[in-house]
């Protein structure tokens, strides 16, 4: 049971990390540095964090 | 700091291997025992400082640019007190102060998100199988040189890294109830760490979480793997009591490398407290030379 829940969770952890941490972190950095791209900063954060996390999940590496 | 009271014979090469071993143990024995108060205060004090950074930064009392280097230093300093506990240097099972040993062991590595039992079980395997390509859980830190070591450390932390999963693999190989429990605790630690980071980030404190925990932990892991694992075991090709670890002269000195210049003493006598290893090294140096140890200019 635990394995069935945690297996997929751990496998997709880089993507979750991208959404759960990198996205709001990117938003905070954008807000603090007064960068405006005409899109809500959180949306940019979600795109960057989500894409980067998805890449790390797919490739098994962040860089 | 202790000094040796054992008088060495003029010509150590005239001694048999057994006589040399007897002499070595006689010298080493003088540096064991006693309560390492320095490491106890270091472990607990370091955790208190790191924990205090959270309310201080979240309330705006302490600027993040000051808290960040302090936090980085805290995480870098968090491993070694636990290491003393892993070897039961503070107190052994059955001793009156064993609780203190376990307290320091369990608490000091919290900033690293490294459970004490995982650290202890895998570290004892490292001692048992130092430089063994299959069985040493730290063999993944082996590298050609300093820059390669730093790159390797970053590479080992990538999600798909085999070396990064070495501690989990070691616990699985051990297969004991204690190892299974340690694996479960590691999972709880990892999930709790991520839950805290995500919660802080989504409540508007992502930068605080990044600069007090996430980034300091990455920097500290690189430092720890460099000085505590790569440098003292380099080149990591030999096994055997006198050749699997070396002494070396660090460009950042003994404090900057957290005493690892004398790590060879730790592998020979793991019960000698960290702060006694320099004195033990100088007292044992003629014996180490007679044994053909790699002393690399120290």
């Amino acid at each position: 049971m635990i394995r069935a829940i945690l297996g997929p969770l751990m496998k997709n952890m880089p993507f979750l990390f991208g959404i759960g941490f990198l996205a709001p972190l990117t938003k905070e950095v954008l807000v603090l540095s007064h960068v405006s791209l005409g899109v809500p900063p959180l949306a940019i954060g979600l795109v960057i964090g989500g894409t980067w996390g998805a890449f790390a999940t797919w490739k098994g590496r962040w860089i | 700091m202790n000094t040796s009271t054992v008088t060495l014979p003029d010509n150590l090469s005239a001694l048999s291997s057994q006589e040399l071993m007897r002499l070595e143990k006689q010298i080493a024995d003088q540096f064991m025992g006693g309560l390492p108060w320095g490491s106890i205060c270091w472990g607990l004090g370091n955790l208190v400082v790191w924990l205090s950074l959270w309310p201080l930064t979240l309330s705006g009392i302490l600027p993040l640019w000051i808290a960040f280097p302090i936090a980085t230093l805290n995480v870098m300093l968090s491993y070694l007190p636990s290491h003393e506990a892993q070897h039961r240097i503070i107190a052994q099972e059955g001793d009156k102060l064993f609780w203190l040993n376990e307290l320091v062991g369990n608490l000091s590595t919290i900033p690293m998100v490294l459970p004490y039992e995982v650290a202890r079980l895998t570290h004892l395997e490292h001692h048992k199988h130092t430089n063994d390509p299959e069985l040493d859980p730290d063999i993944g830190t082996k590298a050609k040189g300093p820059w390669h070591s730093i790159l390797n450390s970053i590479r080992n932390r990538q999600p798909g890294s085999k070396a990064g999963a070495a501690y989990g693999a070691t616990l699985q190989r051990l297969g004991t109830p204690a190892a299974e429990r340690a694996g479960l605790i590691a999972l709880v630690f990892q999930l709790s760490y991520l839950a805290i980071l995500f919660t802080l980030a989504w409540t508007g404190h992502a930068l605080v979480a990044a600069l007090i925990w996430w980034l300091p932990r990455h920097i500290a892991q690189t430092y720890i793997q460099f000085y505590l694992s790569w440098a003292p075991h380099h080149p990591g090709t030999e096994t055997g009591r006198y050749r699997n670890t070396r002494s070396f002269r660090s460009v950042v000195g003994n404090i900057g490398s957290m005493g690892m210049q004398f790590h060879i003493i730790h592998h020979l006598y793991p019960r000698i407290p960290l702060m006694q290893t320099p004195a033990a090294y100088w007292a044992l140096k003629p014996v180490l030379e007679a044994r053909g140890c790699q002393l690399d200019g120290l």
Side-chain angles (χ1 to χ4, degrees):
Chain A
M1 173 74 173
I2 293 173
R3 203 179 287 264
I5 298 167
L6 291 181
L9 185 77
M10 296 314 279
K11 202 178 155 199
N12 293 299
M13 194 49 85
F15 176 70
L16 295 176
F17 187 80
I19 299 290
F21 187 66
L22 295 180
L25 179 63
T26 308
K27 182 208 124 180
E28 269 186 45
V29 171
L30 289 173
V31 170
L32 277 173
S33 48
H34 305 291
V35 175
S36 177
L37 299 168
V39 187
L42 184 59
I44 299 170
L46 284 168
V47 169
I48 293 174
T51 310
W52 201 2
F55 170 83
T57 301
W58 175 46
K59 290 294 233 181
R61 59 186 168 87
W62 287 96
I63 40 176
Chain B
M1 190 179 280
N2 269 347
T3 49
S4 176
T5 52
V6 177
T7 312
L8 292 170
D10 290 336
N11 186 10
L12 287 181
S13 58
L15 298 180
S16 70
S17 183
Q18 273 184 330
E19 286 170 326
L20 206 53
M21 176 57 93
R22 213 172 300 131
L23 182 68
E24 183 190 304
K25 283 191 170 159
Q26 208 184 339
I27 298 170
D29 276 347
Q30 299 173 98
F31 298 94
M32 289 185 237
L35 202 58
W37 279 112
S39 295
I40 296 165
C41 296
W42 167 357
L44 300 178
N46 184 60
L47 179 70
V48 169
V49 172
W50 181 75
L51 287 175
S52 72
L53 295 175
W54 292 97
L56 288 173
T57 49
L58 287 170
S59 61
I61 295 171
L62 191 71
L64 263 179
W65 64 269
I66 296 176
F68 169 57
I70 298 171
T72 304
L73 197 64
N74 285 147
V75 189
M76 283 160 75
L77 287 166
S78 69
Y79 180 74
L80 281 172
S82 165
H83 179 245
E84 300 277 271
Q86 288 163 37
H87 288 287
R88 313 292 203 224
I89 288 172
I90 298 167
Q92 295 191 61
E93 275 179 279
D95 286 352
K96 216 166 78 177
L97 286 178
F98 186 59
W99 65 269
L100 184 59
N101 187 82
E102 299 304 273
L103 184 80
V104 173
N106 277 290
L107 293 185
S108 64
T109 50
I110 287 174
M112 278 187 76
V113 200
L114 176 64
Y116 174 53
E117 276 307 299
V118 174
R120 197 175 76 82
L121 292 172
T122 55
H123 186 63
L124 295 181
E125 285 301 293
H126 161 67
H127 273 267
K128 215 159 134 187
H129 306 290
T130 310
N131 295 341
D132 183 313
E134 300 298 324
L135 300 175
D136 183 352
D138 294 333
I139 197 70
T141 61
K142 182 176 164 180
K144 290 174 206 147
W147 289 109
H148 186 226
S149 161
I150 293 167
L151 272 176
N152 203 29
S153 170
I154 296 166
R155 206 179 290 143
N156 289 349
R157 262 171 279 146
Q158 301 306 309
S161 160
K162 196 181 158 202
Y167 281 18
T170 300
L171 294 177
Q172 263 194 334
R173 176 173 60 76
L174 289 172
T176 60
E180 275 179 34
R181 194 175 57 243
L184 207 63
I185 295 169
L187 191 65
V188 172
F189 261 55
Q190 193 59 31
L191 290 176
S192 305
Y193 165 66
L194 291 169
I196 294 168
L197 285 189
F198 293 2
T199 306
L200 283 166
W202 279 96
T203 51
H205 307 293
L207 262 178
V208 173
L211 296 178
I212 301 292
W213 208 354
W214 178 65
L215 194 53
R217 185 168 170 255
H218 275 290
I219 296 169
Q221 281 180 324
T222 307
Y223 170 87
I224 287 168
Q225 286 177 7
F226 185 94
Y227 270 122
L228 278 66
S229 196
W230 172 74
H233 304 104
H234 183 66
T237 48
E238 292 187 66
T239 54
R241 178 172 170 83
Y242 296 101
R243 294 292 298 175
N244 63 15
T245 317
R246 63 170 184 155
S247 67
F248 65 100
R249 194 171 285 282
S250 163
V251 289
V252 291
N254 194 43
I255 291 174
S257 57
M258 290 194 195
M260 290 303 114
Q261 292 187 134
F262 307 101
H263 193 66
I264 189 167
I265 296 298
H266 172 65
H267 269 258
L268 293 172
Y269 294 95
R271 301 284 321 283
I272 293 181
L274 174 71
M275 291 182 193
Q276 290 292 338
T277 54
Y281 175 82
W282 296 116
L284 280 165
K285 195 179 175 191
V287 178
L288 303 181
E289 281 168 340
R291 287 290 191 185
C293 296
Q294 193 185 337
L295 303 182
D296 288 0
L298 191 68

